[in-house]
């Protein structure tokens, strides 16, 4: 079992930045990938970014690469999502997720491939 707890969401003005954190606990992280997804009201959940825990390979949805950066701190079992130049359309609940095993980049872009999920943290960007 893996427990995931997100934090760092909040209200920010357009153009501002936030850093989300996700603390993971419960098992070894040597063969696991961590991802961030988001879901806006009335919309489907969408992939944001993922990182392979062991080799730190990162994967992004093209539209967010350059503004968002995923990273991890293995000493704290924590994955981060640094979000810069935020826009009102970035408003959503952001979820952290964990996928067991090593997979291809396309695998990480699908929410159904993740085994564990956090409760989510709300990000609201005002115009």
């Amino acid at each position: 079992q893996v427990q995931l707890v997100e934090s760092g969401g909040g209200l920010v003005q357009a153009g501002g930045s936030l850093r989300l954190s996700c603390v993971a606990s419960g098992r070894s992280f040597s063969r696991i990938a961590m991802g961030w997804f988001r879901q806006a009201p009335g919309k489907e959940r969408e992939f944001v970014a993922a990182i392979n825990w062991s080799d730190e390979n990162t994967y992004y949805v093209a539209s967010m690469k350059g503004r968002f950066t995923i990273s991890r701190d293995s000493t704290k079992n924590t994955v981060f999502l640094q979000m810069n130049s935020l826009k009102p359309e970035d408003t959503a609940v952001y979820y952290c997720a964990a996928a067991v095993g090593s997979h291809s980049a396309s695998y990480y872009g699908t929410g159904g491939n993740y085994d564990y999920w956090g409760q989510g943290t709300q990000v609201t960007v005002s115009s």
Side-chain angles (χ1 to χ4, degrees):
Q1 287 287 336
V2 175
Q3 293 77 45
L4 304 173
V5 179
E6 303 99 331
S7 63
L11 174 64
V12 64
Q13 288 189 333
S17 299
L18 281 175
R19 188 174 81 156
L20 306 183
S21 300
C22 174
V23 179
S25 61
R27 60 158 284 160
S28 169
F29 299 102
S30 61
R31 286 175 52 82
I32 201 166
M34 303 292 292
W36 286 98
F37 288 76
R38 70 184 187 183
Q39 187 165 21
K43 295 188 177 181
E44 293 187 354
R45 181 178 61 194
E46 64 174 335
F47 171 72
V48 176
I51 185 167
N52 187 293
W53 197 266
S54 58
D55 60 18
E56 293 189 85
N57 281 339
T58 57
Y59 312 89
Y60 295 91
V61 63
S63 61
M64 298 178 208
K65 191 172 184 179
R67 292 195 301 127
F68 292 5
T69 303
I70 190 170
S71 62
R72 68 110 171 96
D73 183 340
S74 61
T75 65
K76 299 179 180 179
N77 284 351
T78 301
V79 62
F80 303 101
L81 184 68
Q82 177 67 44
M83 305 185 295
N84 299 326
S85 302
L86 284 163
K87 307 173 182 179
E89 51 264 42
D90 294 318
T91 295
V93 178
Y94 284 71
Y95 296 93
C96 175
V100 176
S102 296
H103 304 282
S104 64
S106 60
Y107 185 92
Y108 296 130
T110 302
N113 292 334
Y114 286 75
D115 303 286
Y116 305 98
W117 291 83
Q119 293 300 307
T121 185
Q122 176 71 47
V123 171
T124 303
V125 184
S126 63
S127 58

